[in-house]
């Protein structure tokens, strides 16, 4: 009997598998290609919400957990994942500069926000008011991570590539069985696919579609992440990621012309050089009504668990939430109440 079946192989599933492996637990992952959010993510790890100059939820602790986590994965998989890149926030006005410096005096934010105003030195960026710099930021190559981790699981015979058929899943107080697999526990880390889950479909997972462009801009010559109305993230060979959109109604993984035009219009408000669009991808982020993850045990089944709802911050939240869930299951530790799904239990399971 396995210790765990893990459903899903995005940032949540990979993070939890890593905890299981480090703790010597046996597992098999079941995954299909239905959810694309982790593969098409920008992958930024940035602890600051740059629209409002506020700290993201528990971001400092998550960053401390994430850095060694991805370093370990790089060593294990033999692939470069972590690209340390400063994030520059373009100021639209003197007033925004002043708000930045006020924010930089706050506890926690003072660790991440530089108080040095950076003038624009890039001739193809229109930024007369300069930039503020966020420190200790960067990008995880999430597509390379998913691809490499899937290959690793294949080599260790720990991967079942198919869509989970819930009719084949049987649950008792002693075990979970799926076709020829039996396990003590099953963890659903299936992103927006959770909406089709008959056990956890009650949870308020909204799903927000995000689209990214890849542009080729040889004259841009920018080595930092630039955040304005959109962000640009440098890649190799004069290519840059440009994103991202947030759409709540469309739940498909298909790129749209409307989103492409929206991104291009915003990009051209500050980028003045010529460029060519060479890529366009889309995915559904697993977002939650209260903007907190969905982690915990099913109200009626002791061996069913969920690890989900990371939104656009899965790179940072994944390692943090996965370790908490493991300790909750194996060591009976308390889950952070802000992400524990018990906050939704009374509404849907009143008895």
């Amino acid at each position: 009997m396995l210790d765990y079946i893990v459903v899903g192989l995005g940032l949540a599933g990979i993070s939890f598998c890593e905890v299981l492996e480090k703790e010597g637990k046996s597992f098999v992952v079941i995954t299909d290609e239905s959810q694309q959010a982790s593969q098409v993510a920008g992958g930024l790890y940035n602890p600051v919400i740059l629209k409002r100059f506020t700290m993201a939820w528990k971001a400092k602790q998550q960053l401390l957990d994430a850095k060694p986590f991805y370093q370990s994965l790089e060593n294990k998989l033999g692939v470069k994942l972590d690209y340390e890149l400063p994030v520059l926030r373009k100021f639209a006005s003197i007033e925004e500069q002043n708000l930045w410096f006020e924010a930089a005096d706050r506890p926690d934010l003072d660790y991440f926000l530089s108080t040095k105003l950076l003038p624009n030195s890039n001739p193809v960026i229109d930024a007369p008011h300069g930039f503020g710099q966020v420190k200790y930021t960067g990008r995880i190559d999430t597509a390379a991570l998913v691809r490499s981790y899937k290959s690793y699981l294949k080599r260790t015979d720990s991967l079942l590539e198919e869509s989970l058929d819930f009719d084949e899943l049987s649950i008792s107080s002693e075990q979970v069985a799926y076709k020829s697999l039996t396990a003590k526990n099953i963890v659903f880390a299936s992103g927006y696919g959770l909406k089709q889950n008959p056990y956890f479909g009650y949870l308020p997972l909204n799903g927000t579609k995000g689209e990214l462009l890849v542009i080729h801009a040889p004259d841009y010559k920018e080595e930092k992440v630039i955040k304005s109305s959109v962000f640009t993230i440098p890649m190799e060979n004069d290519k840059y990621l440009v994103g991202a959109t947030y759409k709540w109604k469309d739940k498909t993984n298909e790129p749209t012309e409307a989103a492409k035009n929206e991104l291009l219009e915003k990009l051209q408000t500050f980028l003045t050089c010529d460029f060519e669009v060479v890529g366009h991808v889309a995915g559904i982020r697993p977002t939650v009504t209260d903007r907190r993850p969905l982690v915990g045990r099913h109200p009626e089944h002791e061996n069913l668990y969920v690890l989900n709802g990371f939104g656009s911050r899965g790179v940072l939240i994944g390692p943090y939430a996965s370790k908490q869930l493991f300790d909750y299951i194996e060591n009976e530790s308390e889950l952070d109440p802000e992400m524990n799904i018990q906050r939704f239990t009374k509404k849907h399971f009143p008895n």
Side-chain angles (χ1 to χ4, degrees):
M1 183 186 292
L2 295 164
D3 292 310
Y4 288 86
I5 295 170
V6 179
V7 182
L9 196 64
L11 289 166
I14 291 172
S15 299
F16 194 70
C17 287
E18 278 299 281
V19 177
L20 293 178
E21 191 159 275
K22 284 184 173 64
E23 298 288 346
K25 300 296 183 180
S26 59
F27 64 91
V28 164
V29 176
I30 302 172
T31 186
D32 59 22
E33 298 295 326
S34 65
Q35 301 305 314
Q36 301 293 315
S38 293
Q39 289 95 315
V40 305
L44 274 183
Y45 55 90
N46 165 29
V48 182
I49 299 171
L50 289 173
K51 189 174 183 180
R52 302 187 296 272
F53 305 154
T54 55
M55 282 291 289
W57 176 73
K58 297 191 185 298
K60 189 172 185 178
Q61 179 59 53
Q62 291 164 9
L63 185 61
L64 292 173
D65 293 344
K67 290 296 286 184
F69 174 83
Y70 292 109
Q71 178 65 59
S72 173
L73 273 172
E74 285 186 331
N75 296 336
K76 172 178 174 172
L77 301 174
V79 62
K80 176 71 171 171
L81 298 172
D82 186 358
Y83 296 84
E84 295 181 349
L85 296 166
V87 173
L88 301 188
R89 168 59 152 82
K90 177 177 133 6
F91 294 129
S93 63
I94 301 296
E95 288 74 19
E96 272 199 346
Q97 292 178 358
N98 293 334
L99 290 172
W100 175 275
F101 291 121
E102 287 175 17
D105 282 335
R106 296 182 208 140
D108 277 351
L109 280 169
D110 60 355
Y111 182 76
F112 293 105
L113 298 187
S114 170
T115 54
K116 182 180 178 182
L117 179 64
L118 297 178
N120 177 37
S121 59
N122 191 325
V124 300
I125 296 179
D126 182 15
H129 299 291
F131 303 94
Q133 179 177 326
V134 188
K135 299 178 286 185
Y136 315 115
T137 54
R139 171 181 174 257
I140 299 299
D141 188 338
T142 55
L145 172 58
V146 173
R147 186 170 59 247
S148 301
Y149 209 85
K150 183 177 286 188
S151 297
Y152 171 76
L153 291 179
K154 285 181 180 178
R155 292 195 302 271
T156 57
D157 200 26
S158 305
L159 186 67
L160 183 60
E161 291 188 88
E162 62 177 62
S163 298
L164 182 75
D165 182 352
F166 283 97
D167 292 335
E168 297 277 351
L169 185 66
S170 62
I171 300 161
S172 70
S173 59
E174 301 299 321
Q175 67 179 36
V176 176
Y178 180 72
K179 297 185 177 179
S180 63
L181 302 174
T182 57
K184 297 174 185 175
N185 302 292
I186 185 167
V187 174
F188 292 99
S190 48
Y192 188 65
L194 195 74
K195 294 299 287 186
Q196 280 71 54
N197 187 311
Y199 298 100
F200 290 106
Y202 73 92
L203 293 171
L205 189 74
N206 288 343
T208 307
K209 184 172 184 174
E211 300 192 40
L212 292 171
L213 301 179
V214 181
I215 63 168
H216 181 238
D219 296 330
Y220 193 11
K221 305 300 182 191
E222 184 55 61
E223 297 179 351
K224 299 180 176 68
V225 178
I226 303 297
K227 175 67 175 78
S228 182
S229 49
V230 291
F231 61 70
T232 64
I233 304 176
M235 301 169 70
E236 296 177 339
N237 304 318
D238 297 321
K239 291 180 181 176
Y240 300 83
L241 283 174
V242 178
T245 58
Y246 291 80
K247 302 297 178 187
W248 288 267
K249 292 184 179 179
D250 182 1
K251 306 299 186 186
T252 70
N253 288 321
E254 296 302 315
T256 64
E257 199 67 20
K260 177 182 176 181
N261 292 335
E262 177 186 334
L263 290 171
L264 290 176
E265 185 176 317
K266 290 178 177 178
L267 177 64
Q268 288 166 335
T269 62
F270 67 92
L271 183 62
T272 62
C273 66
D274 292 334
F275 60 85
E276 177 188 5
V277 177
V278 295
H280 185 186
V281 292
I284 309 299
R285 306 177 190 89
T287 52
V288 186
T289 51
D290 64 0
R291 302 190 179 193
R292 295 291 181 265
L294 299 170
V295 183
R297 179 185 287 123
H298 190 273
E300 296 178 339
H301 299 286
E302 289 287 307
N303 41 18
L304 266 65
Y305 298 88
V306 64
L307 182 65
N308 209 311
F310 296 173
S312 60
R313 294 188 172 269
V315 162
L316 283 180
I317 295 175
Y320 170 81
S322 295
K323 186 65 168 67
Q324 282 230 357
L325 178 60
F326 180 85
D327 288 340
Y328 174 69
I329 299 170
E330 297 289 341
N331 305 321
E332 299 184 359
S333 300
E334 289 295 318
L335 269 178
D336 184 324
E338 287 190 84
M339 66 181 184
N340 193 330
I341 60 169
Q342 286 182 359
R343 67 193 192 272
F344 299 115
T345 298
K346 287 183 180 179
K347 180 178 178 182
H348 297 278
F349 294 86
N351 298 321

